[in-house]
C-alpha cells in the first residue's frame, strides 16, 4: 500500500489548461497511473471528501472552489508514493513551494493550489476508494 497515492488536479489547473503538463510532470517523476478519471464533484461529494476540514474557517470556500469546475482524479504508483508525491507538488501555499514543484509552477494561491496529494498511506487508501470502487482493497 505504501507504493500508492491519490491525487486530484484541481479546478483552477484544469480550467487554466495545465492538465497535460501536470500529468507529464507526474510521469516524468516516475509515477505510474493506475486509474484516472475526469469529473466534476457535487457539493455533497466535496464536503465528504474534505470532511476532516469541516470545522476550519476556509471549509466553505474550499468546497465552493472544488466544485467550481471539472477535476482529474487519479491513483498513482511509485515507491514511497505519498512522500515522493508531496515533494513533487510542493507546499500547500504556492508562495512557499520549492522551485520546480507543481504548485510553484501552476498554482496561484493557497486556495487555488492546482493539485491535491494524499498526506498518509491510510488517507491514500480512503481517498482512492472514494473515487475508484475497484480500488477498495488498495
Ligand atoms: P491537499 O489536501 O489539497 O493536498 P494540503 O494537504 O497541502 O492540500 P490541507 O491542510 O490538507 O493542505 O488543506 C486542504 C486544502 O485546503 C488546501 O489544499 C488548500 O486549498 C485549502 N487550505 C488549507 N489551508 C488553507 C488556508 N489557511 N486558507 C485557505 N485555504 C486553505
Ligand atoms: Mg491535505
Amino acid at each position: 500500500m505504501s507504493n500508492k497515492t491519490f491525487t486530484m488536479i484541481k479546478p483552477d489547473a484544469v480550467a487554466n489548461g495545465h492538465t497535460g503538463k501536470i500529468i507529464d510532470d507526474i510521469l516524468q517523476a516516475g509515477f505510474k497511473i493506475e486509474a484516472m478519471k475526469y469529473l466534476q464533484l457535487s457539493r455533497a461529494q466535496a464536503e465528504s471528501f474534505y470532511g476532516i476540514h469541516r470545522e476550519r474557517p476556509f471549509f466553505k470556500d474550499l468546497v465552493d472552489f472544488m466544485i467550481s469546475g471539472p477535476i482529474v482524479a487519479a491513483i498513482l504508483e511509485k515507491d514511497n508514493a505519498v512522500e515522493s508525491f508531496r515533494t513533487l507538488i510542493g507546499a500547500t501555499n504556492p508562495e512557499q513551494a520549492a522551485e520546480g514543484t507543481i504548485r510553484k509552477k501552476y498554482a496561484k494561491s493557497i486556495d487555488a493550489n492546482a493539485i491535491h496529494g494524499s498526506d498518509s498511506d491510510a488517507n491514500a487508501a480512503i481517498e482512492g476508494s472514494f473515487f475508484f470502487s475497484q480500488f477498495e482493497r488498495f
Side-chain angles (χ1 to χ4, degrees):
M1 192 173 86
S2 63
N3 65 343
K4 291 186 188 178
T5 192
F6 171 79
T7 187
M8 291 183 289
I9 304 174
K10 295 186 178 183
D12 59 315
V14 174
N16 291 330
H18 296 140
T19 304
K21 285 174 286 184
I22 289 173
I23 292 172
D24 195 48
D25 284 354
I26 291 169
L27 295 172
Q28 291 292 330
F31 289 88
K32 179 169 160 270
I33 297 170
E34 287 230 339
M36 178 172 272
K37 64 169 86 157
Y38 179 89
L39 73 148
Q40 188 157 358
L41 287 168
S42 69
R43 181 170 295 277
Q45 284 175 317
E47 286 177 352
S48 170
F49 185 88
Y50 279 113
I52 194 167
H53 296 307
R54 201 172 286 275
E55 305 306 323
R56 310 273 286 271
F58 57 82
F59 180 69
K60 178 159 188 313
D61 287 346
L62 174 61
V63 169
D64 285 346
F65 167 66
M66 287 303 298
I67 67 173
S68 66
I71 64 163
V72 176
I75 291 172
L76 305 174
E77 186 181 327
K78 187 187 176 184
D79 285 351
N80 194 24
V82 166
E83 192 187 338
S84 174
F85 194 71
R86 298 280 291 188
T87 302
L88 177 67
I89 71 178
T92 308
N93 184 347
E95 285 176 19
Q96 284 151 20
E99 215 52 58
T101 59
I102 289 174
R103 282 170 168 161
K104 182 70 175 186
K105 290 197 279 187
Y106 304 116
K108 294 280 186 293
S109 65
I110 191 169
D111 33 276
N113 65 358
I115 194 159
H116 164 81
S118 302
D119 60 12
S120 66
D121 290 347
N123 283 336
I126 291 167
E127 293 170 1
S129 48
F130 186 93
F131 284 90
F132 300 97
S133 55
Q134 71 270 37
F135 281 83
E136 259 154 27
R137 51 190 176 72
F138 118 91

